[in-house]
Amino acid sequence: MTNQFLNDAWQVLVLYCIPIGGGIPAGVILANAKGLGWPVMMVLYFISDVLLACVFDPIVYFLRKHPRTQKFKEAYKKTLYQTVFKDGTNLRPFTLIMIAFGVDPMTGRLATIVSGHGFLTGWALTIAGDMIFFTVVMASTLWLNNILGNGMWTAIIITVAILVVPNLIRRIRNRGLPNPNPTTKV
């Protein structure tokens, strides 16, 4: 491996470690521009997920054990039970993978904890879902970049799509349904 390859891979890995927003599309655009193929992109994203596991689990452990976080824990637990666990906490592995795919890896990991999975199996399920998400976003980014030929606009469009499309789908699916909490707007 050359120093240039390692430098390029490091730059892409740093972008993948951005937890919210345009890290994936920007990393894919950069990797593509540097000549790193999709297998390298996938390995680098997997490494970013492993790094997330090593950082996130100690934070969760601290929050679970520290007495001053009681209000935060109760609020988050209530939110999880109203959204993710409305049908119970004994979720099957496929469901847990889809939570990580559809929400984010941190919520996916919390769902695996509540479902009784330890560090290895919990993160295996979480990373599986996040890798599926990455694959969809990577393919979409490469496809759109081939059409537009402009990495900046591709990254902006894909980032906006990642942030906006799930809310639009939720609104369309819930249109016409009664609001379960009449004091808030859907």
Side-chain angles (χ1 to χ4, degrees), residues 22 30 47-48 59 64 77 88 97 126 145 159-160 173:
L30 179 62
I47 291 169
S48 78
I59 292 170
R64 290 173 69 190
K77 188 176 183 179
I97 289 170
T126 300
N145 192 45
T159 300
V160 169
R173 277 197 315 196

Side-chain angles (χ1 to χ4, degrees), residues 62-79:
F62 170 78
L63 290 174
R64 290 173 69 190
K65 299 297 181 187
H66 199 279
R68 289 189 171 209
T69 61
Q70 190 63 33
K71 285 184 181 180
F72 171 77
K73 287 188 290 192
E74 291 303 319
Y76 198 81
K77 188 176 183 179
K78 183 179 177 183
T79 301

